[in-house]
Amino acid sequence: MNRLSAPSSDGPVSHVLDIRGVRTHLQERGSGPPLLMLHGAGGAGPWRPYLDTLARQFRVLLPDHPGFGASDRPDWLESMDDMVYHYLDFLESTKIGRPHLLGMSLGGWIAAELAVAHPEVIDRLILVDPAGLKQPGMELPDLFALTEQERTRLIFFDQSRAEAEVVASPSPDAILQTLKNQGSFARLSWNPYLYNPRLARRLYRAKMPTLIIWGREDRVIPAATADLWLANVPQATLAVIDACGHVPHRERPDELTRLVIDFLASA
Amino acid sequence: MEFHLFHLMPWPALPDDFEHEHPSAWVTYSNANFDPVKGHELYNRYLDELEYAEALGFDGVCVNEHHQTAYGLMPAPNIIAATLARRTKRITIAILGNALPLRDHPLRVAEEVAMLDVITGGRIISGFVRGIGAEYFTFGVNPNDSRGRFIEACDLIVKAWTEPGPFCFDGTHYQVRYANLWPRPIQKPHPRIFVPSTGSIETIEWASQYHYPFIRVYEVASIVKRIFDDYREMAATRWGYAAGPELLGWMIPIYVAETDEVARREAERHILYLFHKLQHRPVAYLLPPGYTGEASLARALDRLSRQERFGRKSFDEMQDEGMIVFGSPETVRQRLDAFQRDMRFGILVPLLQFGSLPHDLTVKNMELFAREVMPHLRPLGQPLTTGAVE
């Protein structure tokens, strides 16, 4: 069991948890109802200011998935099922209760898989530009064939923002970190690429109130994919953010934060 | 020294501005650019060249497997080997190699190679490869599974060749309830296994464990020497034997002409076509995530950063660094002789048709190499060990 220290009001606290033998890195801040954030394929990234905004009302928990960031990469991590079991273990081990679950991109897919496998462990569900479903025949850009710089440009709508975030000459450590994240991403998502053909027929089980958020200009997973989620998730509503690409938390964090707080406060 | 003539069967009709107009000769270059009528001529021309190797005294010929690329037209190497099986009588046919992780079922490979071995009366050399990174894009096989599938498929194939069936096989990637090959191979205990590789630590460790000859493709001579040294050291320290020249092979483009000047004049643009056009592709295609083990990642990144520069390497750089050997018979003899004495390999895999090199120059190159170079090198690289497969 992992007993988390009392969250500080000064800033996020970092923990290294032992989840069934997997050293799992977790950043945490705030108190109130737990809000578990599942990051996308690029990793959890730094603690961003929008998380502080959320932490005023929620206990925000941002773990690194196994195989990503500062968490271990266990040999048994082969598929989405393994990731779901990891998060069941995470919830048991941390005893944070029944959290709201917010997943972005790859993290949205993980959140949806968890929600259909064990809906009882989740309060409300928020999926931000989620992977996991695919319109048949829709061609998606191959993230694995791109350089890190090309991926950065692809995920932003505003290219001046993208250019500001492109790292021209990443350090060897940064390259190895990217390769680690990409390797784990590929374990989960190489083929079928970015989706699980069985997920749509299982989504009826995710009966919790659900908010789908999408950047209107998402070029990784087009916003039209939201129709599939709305058609399959029983209690889903959709919010689309204008002038925003695949990563609303980086491109339109204020809008994202407002949508999340409004949705979670509407109970 | 053994001489195994290598062929890639390249598509020779890429436009002059290809590398500026297209991102890759692999994965995405549209097959709308493949002309089947020209393909018919090419296959038959290339097969003629391979068959001619027997009359010239080569020990063997080599075919290989690549997918969805202008680089080579042999997605099914066992089919090419089959066309050669009854048109040749003496030489070995090396399949370098079957890309095991890309196949759905290893037993299909085991069956096909066993058939070829029986048909040829035991002239098959069975190469096993993982397939290059680009092929994990084209086939959708998860690159994280590449090494696991490769090792396990090899185990299953060798077992199916050598142990009486039926037996069951319970692997992580392959589960077989009835392995019982008909036919079994004619060679005992089984056909020679060559391992062509870029030289990852994991592959060297595995190949040296089983005494499988290791073949290095396209690399500057100093790096090839380092990889051969790694193999010898691994064999000595890890497995307790001295790896002789018969376990180390080098595939290298070679062009022989009357003089150094003629060699360059005739063949320079054709070798640049190989390196600048046919190997044109984004780095991501060579290193898909999970394809390379963590032990080899740093080495792979170093190799890739150098390989990125292949596209910019000049003819002179390639000559100076020993990535190619072009010149008069005397020049080629001297250079290969010096390389052999320094690197101590016993298997030479010359690529005598490369890029857009036309048929007449290919034949001339083959004849000059066989007549003027091969006899000189033949006594070098004598076996140290029996090379027996354990």
Side-chain angles (χ1 to χ4, degrees):
Chain A
M1 193 206 310
N2 289 281
R3 294 198 178 281
L4 305 185
S5 55
S8 152
S9 57
D10 302 335
V13 178
S14 271
H15 310 276
V16 178
L17 312 178
D18 181 338
I19 308 290
R20 208 167 59 94
V22 178
R23 283 185 310 142
T24 301
H25 179 241
L26 169 71
Q27 300 176 83
E28 180 189 13
R29 186 175 189 187
S31 55
L35 171 58
L36 178 59
M37 314 275 297
L38 301 184
H39 66 75
W47 185 267
R48 298 175 195 277
Y50 83 98
L51 295 166
D52 290 323
T53 309
L54 292 172
R56 283 187 212 124
Q57 298 188 39
F58 301 98
R59 180 182 179 188
V60 177
L61 300 118
L62 178 64
D64 292 354
H65 305 319
F68 291 81
S71 292
D72 284 348
R73 180 164 132 160
D75 287 339
W76 51 253
L77 178 68
E78 292 179 346
S79 66
M80 261 312 158
D81 293 352
D82 296 317
M83 198 60 100
V84 168
Y85 285 114
H86 170 80
Y87 276 107
L88 291 171
D89 291 338
F90 176 93
L91 292 174
E92 267 182 32
S93 175
T94 57
K95 301 206 177 305
I96 61 169
R98 187 163 154 267
H100 300 305
L101 184 62
L102 185 156
M104 306 176 184
S105 188
L106 175 72
W109 180 5
I110 298 169
E113 297 274 2
L114 185 60
V116 297
H118 285 273
E120 72 280 2
V121 302
I122 295 165
D123 193 343
R124 294 189 162 213
L125 179 65
I126 302 172
L127 306 175
V128 184
D129 298 71
L133 297 183
K134 188 182 173 207
Q135 299 275 13
M138 178 175 275
E139 290 192 15
L140 303 175
D142 193 340
L143 296 168
F144 297 115
L146 303 179
T147 64
E148 183 66 4
Q149 290 85 347
E150 290 166 336
R151 279 193 290 267
T152 301
R153 294 187 183 102
L154 184 71
I155 61 178
F156 281 95
F157 167 67
D158 178 349
Q159 288 303 293
S160 62
R161 278 297 311 280
E163 288 310 316
E165 302 230 7
V166 164
V167 180
S169 302
S171 68
D173 280 352
I175 292 173
L176 288 174
Q177 182 64 66
T178 299
L179 289 171
K180 176 184 176 183
N181 289 349
Q182 288 284 304
S184 300
F185 178 31
R187 284 195 186 191
L188 302 170
S189 190
W190 182 265
N191 190 29
Y193 177 61
L194 290 180
Y195 79 112
N196 175 359
R198 298 184 182 94
L199 179 58
R201 70 171 188 251
R202 296 172 178 168
L203 279 172
Y204 74 93
R205 288 174 51 80
K207 295 191 174 73
M208 66 289 292
T210 300
L211 175 65
I212 314 282
I213 299 174
W214 227 293
R216 189 180 299 283
E217 311 295 341
D218 188 339
R219 290 183 290 154
V220 177
I221 305 168
T225 313
D227 294 344
L228 280 178
W229 290 93
L230 293 174
N232 288 286
V233 179
Q235 288 201 64
T237 54
L238 174 67
V240 175
I241 303 178
D242 289 331
C244 182
H246 185 62
V247 283
H249 69 294
R250 292 170 73 178
E251 193 157 20
R252 299 290 302 277
D254 295 344
E255 185 78 358
L256 175 72
T257 309
R258 187 185 61 74
L259 288 167
V260 169
I261 290 173
D262 287 353
F263 172 67
L264 296 181
S266 66
Chain B
M1 177 82 74
E2 300 175 40
F3 298 91
H4 298 265
L5 177 81
F6 197 60
H7 213 304
L8 289 166
M9 299 199 169
W11 181 251
L14 297 176
D16 289 344
D17 60 354
F18 174 78
E19 62 269 44
H20 306 292
E21 295 298 313
H22 297 276
S24 176
W26 297 70
V27 185
T28 54
Y29 182 56
S30 174
N31 66 352
N33 297 291
F34 176 79
D35 171 1
V37 175
K38 184 172 180 60
H40 170 74
E41 290 169 15
L42 278 172
Y43 274 122
N44 286 284
R45 174 203 142 184
Y46 290 155
L47 286 165
D48 287 346
E49 291 165 6
L50 284 163
E51 289 166 13
Y52 188 41
E54 180 159 88
L56 292 176
F58 285 84
D59 298 296
V61 291
C62 313
V63 301
N64 90 333
E65 171 174 342
H66 285 295
H67 297 274
Q68 302 191 24
T69 173
Y71 178 80
L73 301 178
M74 287 183 277
N78 298 340
I79 288 182
I80 300 295
T83 68
L84 296 166
R86 284 183 39 90
R87 300 275 295 172
T88 58
K89 297 298 173 203
R90 176 187 60 80
I91 53 174
T92 60
I93 301 166
I95 304 154
L96 301 184
N98 276 291
L100 300 180
L102 303 178
R103 305 299 183 76
D104 283 338
H105 208 312
L107 285 186
R108 179 60 186 257
V109 176
E111 289 172 337
E112 289 178 359
V113 174
M115 285 172 68
L116 288 164
D117 198 49
V118 173
I119 290 168
T120 58
R123 291 188 288 119
I124 295 298
I125 294 172
S126 181
F128 292 139
V129 297
R130 290 165 63 202
I132 74 161
E135 286 148 349
Y136 288 76
F137 285 88
T138 50
F139 269 71
V141 172
N142 197 315
N144 283 285
D145 294 333
S146 169
R147 188 168 298 281
R149 282 168 68 102
F150 177 74
I151 300 287
E152 203 171 296
C154 284
D155 288 347
L156 174 54
I157 290 169
V158 170
K159 196 171 176 195
W161 280 344
T162 54
E163 293 190 14
F167 63 84
C168 76
F169 184 90
D170 294 312
T172 304
H173 303 278
Y174 306 103
Q175 297 83 30
V176 179
R177 291 179 62 202
Y178 303 98
N180 190 21
L181 287 199
W182 285 75
R184 291 185 292 122
I186 196 168
Q187 296 183 75
K188 295 289 176 257
H190 57 73
R192 282 174 93 187
I193 292 172
F194 279 10
V195 180
S197 167
T198 53
S200 70
I201 306 282
E202 294 91 340
T203 301
I204 288 172
E205 182 177 11
W206 173 81
S208 60
Q209 178 182 0
Y210 294 101
H211 300 230
Y212 294 155
F214 185 91
I215 313 293
R216 185 60 173 95
V217 175
Y218 301 135
E219 188 48 279
V220 302
S222 59
I223 305 277
V224 178
K225 178 175 190 301
R226 192 182 81 192
I227 288 166
F228 289 171
D229 287 343
D230 288 344
Y231 188 104
R232 282 186 281 258
E233 190 185 333
M234 189 75 80
T237 60
R238 185 79 202 275
W239 310 118
Y241 72 95
E246 72 280 9
L247 296 181
L248 296 167
W250 189 12
M251 189 286 259
I252 180 168
I254 295 170
Y255 191 77
V256 192
E258 293 77 1
T259 66
D260 292 353
E261 293 71 31
V262 173
R264 179 169 189 161
R265 191 173 67 235
E266 288 181 345
E268 177 176 0
R269 69 190 169 94
H270 303 298
I271 193 70
L272 293 180
Y273 182 99
L274 167 61
F275 284 104
H276 293 183
K277 296 188 197 302
L278 293 174
Q279 300 215 43
H280 177 57
R281 64 208 153 192
V283 170
Y285 282 171
L286 291 176
L287 194 66
Y291 177 78
T292 301
E294 286 179 21
S296 295
L297 212 45
R299 182 184 279 201
L301 288 172
D302 173 59
R303 176 169 51 81
L304 287 181
S305 69
R306 283 183 289 106
Q307 208 151 335
E308 251 187 306
R309 298 197 291 271
F310 278 8
R312 297 193 289 276
K313 263 192 206 292
S314 69
F315 179 85
D316 288 324
E317 283 174 305
M318 290 193 276
Q319 274 275 68
D320 292 347
E321 295 173 357
M323 266 183 64
I324 60 174
V325 174
F326 280 32
S328 69
E330 181 57 18
T331 297
V332 173
R333 277 196 299 267
Q334 281 184 7
R335 293 213 76 196
L336 290 174
D337 187 293
F339 283 137
Q340 197 287 328
R341 289 174 199 278
D342 184 38
M343 297 155 67
R344 292 176 288 142
F345 56 89
I347 301 169
L348 188 65
V349 184
L351 184 71
L352 301 183
Q353 194 288 331
F354 39 78
S356 49
L357 192 73
H359 182 65
D360 58 338
L361 294 181
T362 301
V363 168
K364 178 184 159 193
N365 189 27
M366 288 171 62
E367 289 173 344
L368 280 172
F369 181 85
R371 194 174 70 229
E372 306 289 339
V373 179
M374 216 153 63
H376 175 86
L377 299 173
R378 181 65 83 179
L380 302 179
Q382 290 301 314
L384 262 189
T385 67
T386 61
V389 178
E390 293 183 345

